[in-house]
Amino acid sequence: MNTRSLSFRLVTWYAGVLTVVFVLLGALTFISLRHYLEANVLDTQARRARQIADTLIARGSRDTEPAIAAAVENLYSPASNDRFIRISRADGTLVYSSGSPRGEGFDPRQVPALPAEAVAARPSARRVAMGQGALLIAAVRASAADGTRYRVEVGTSAAPLEQLLRRLLVMLAVGLPLTVAVAVAGGFVLVRRALDPVAGIARKAEEITQHNLSERLPLVHSGDELERLSVSLNHMISRLQEAIDGSKQFVADASHELRTPLTVMRGELENLAQDPRLGRETRETLGSVLEEVERLAEIVESLFALSRLDAGEASSDWRRFDLAELAATTAEQMSLLATDKNVTVHCDSSAGVMVEGDRARLKQVIVNLLDNAIKYTAAGGRVRLAVRREQGFAVLEVADDGIGIPAEALPHVFKRFFRVDSSRSREQGGAGLGLAIVKSICSAHGADIEVISEVGRGSTFRLRQPLAADAPAHA
Ligand code: ADP
C-alpha cells in the first residue's frame, strides 16, 4: 500500500477524525444516559419516601411506630420487591428496616447510617457501594403528628441500570469500529472515484507523443481545480504542437529550398571538372568539392524525406504487394555494391509474404538496412536477408557479421543524426539519418523494428509488419 498517496492520506485523516468524533459522541451518550437513568431511579425512590412520610408517618406518633413499620411492610413488601426501606428517628435509632431482598443483591443491615447533615429539607440522594453492586438511596425528613422527627430512606439496587449501561457499552464498542470501518471503506471508494479523472488525464498524457500531438486530454467538467488543470494542460499541448509544427515546417521548407541550388551546383561542378583546360590539381579539388556537394545533397534529400514522413503525408501508392519478392529484387540490385566491397549478400525469402503499404518506401527501408550491413561489414563478410511469415506478421531480417554496435549505442541508433562513432561513419559517408528514415517508414506502416547486435560479431535488424488483411497467417 502506498502510504504517501493522496487517497491514503485523505482516508487516514478522515478515519482519524471520524474515530475521535465517534468516541466523544459515544462517551457523551454513555455519561448522559447514566446520569439520566440514575436521576430517574432516585426520583422514583424519593417520591416513594415522601409518600411514606406523608401518608404513614405524618398521621402517626411515637406510640404507633410498630403500626407504621407493619404498614410499610404490608404496603411495600420491600424484601420481595428487592427494595430497601429504612425509617429511623432523628437521633439515629432504628424504627424499621426492610429484610434481605429476594434477589440477595444487597444486605440492608450493611447500609451505613445516613449522616445527620445529609437529611435536609429537600430529599437527598446517594449512591452506596455494596459489595459487587450499588444501592441508589433517596432520603427525606418526616414529622409525626406528635412532633417526633424521622428519616425515611428508600433505595433500590443499581444492578439493572448498570446492566443496561454495560449493554450500551458493548454496543458502542462493537458498533463504533464497525461504523468507522464502513465509513472508511465508503470514503476510500469516494476518493478513488474523485481521483479517477486524474488517472484518465495521466493515461491520455502518456499516450500523447510528437506523432499525435493533435489529440487532447479529457476535459473534467467539475468547475474546480481539476477542470483548470485539464484545460491548462490542453493549452500547453496546443502551444507545444505549434512549436513542433513550426520547426518541422522549417526543416521541410529549408530542405525543399536547398534541393534545387544543390542540383544546379552539382551539374555545374560536374561540367567544370571535365574541362580539359583546367590543371590536374584543380580538377582533383573540384572532384572532392563535388563529393561533398553530393553528400550534402544526400543529407538534404534524407531531411526532406523525413519531413514528409513527419507530416504524415498520405501515400498515393498504398497497395498490396509481396515483401519477399521486393526483398529479393532489392538484394539483387544491391549485390553490385556488395561485390565491390567483397561482401556476399544471401537472400532467403519464401514467396508470398503479402503486406500492405507503400512499396517504394518499404524498398527504401530494405536499401538502408542492406546499405548499412554492407557498409559496416569488412571484406569477405556475409550479409543475410530473410523474409518469412510468423504468427500473422511478415518478418524481414537483415543480418551481418560485421563490426557490430556497442550495447550503450543500441537504444540511440534510430535517432536522427546519431552515429555510433562519427569518425568511422563519416569515412563511410553516413550522416546518421538512414535508420531514422527506416524507423519513420516503419511507424507509418504500423511495423516494429528492433536491433540485436554484438561488437565484433555482427548485427541483426528485425522488422515485423502485420500481414495484409486477407493473407493466410501460416504458409
Ligand atoms: P549512417 O548513415 O551514418 O550509417 P544510420 O542511421 O544508418 O546512419 O546508422 C546509425 C549508426 O548505426 C551508424 O553510425 C552506425 O555506426 C550504426 N549502424 C547501423 N547499421 C549498422 C550495422 N549493420 N552494423 C554496425 N553498425 C551499424
Side-chain angles (χ1 to χ4, degrees), residues 368-369 371-377 398 400 402-405 412-415 417-422 424-426 429-437 453 458-461:
N368 286 10
L369 292 177
D371 185 51
N372 278 347
I374 297 166
K375 218 159 47 176
Y376 299 113
T377 300
V398 177
D400 62 62
I403 57 174
I405 304 168
H412 310 290
V413 287
F414 293 104
K415 289 182 185 162
F417 292 109
F418 177 82
R419 289 171 299 178
V420 172
D421 173 353
S422 42
R424 126 185 147 176
S425 293
R426 199 179 155 76
L433 288 172
L435 289 180
I437 291 178
S453 186
S459 318
T460 302
F461 286 82

Side-chain angles (χ1 to χ4, degrees), residues 242-265:
E242 274 168 30
I244 289 180
D245 283 353
S247 71
K248 278 183 184 167
Q249 193 55 45
F250 173 76
V251 175
D253 291 349
S255 52
H256 182 69
E257 291 301 320
L258 285 170
R259 286 167 89 203
T260 322
L262 277 171
T263 316
V264 174
M265 271 167 78

Side-chain angles (χ1 to χ4, degrees), residues 94 145 226 254 256 263 360-361 423 425 449:
L94 194 66
L226 225 58
H256 182 69
T263 316
R361 281 182 176 168
S423 59
S425 293
I449 180 133

Side-chain angles (χ1 to χ4, degrees), residues 311-372:
E313 199 179 87
S315 168
S316 54
D317 194 24
W318 198 269
R319 56 193 162 101
R320 217 169 152 261
F321 64 91
D322 186 355
L323 186 67
E325 183 264 329
L326 177 69
T329 48
T330 313
E332 203 177 311
Q333 284 162 9
M334 295 197 63
S335 58
L336 209 66
L337 181 74
T339 319
D340 277 355
K341 263 205 79 180
N342 194 18
V343 171
T344 46
V345 176
H346 178 71
C347 183
D348 172 18
S349 50
S350 46
V353 183
M354 302 305 286
V355 291
E356 264 177 53
D358 185 326
R359 198 170 190 274
R361 281 182 176 168
L362 278 172
K363 180 173 174 147
Q364 182 74 58
V365 168
I366 303 171
V367 167
N368 286 10
L369 292 177
L370 275 179
D371 185 51
N372 278 347

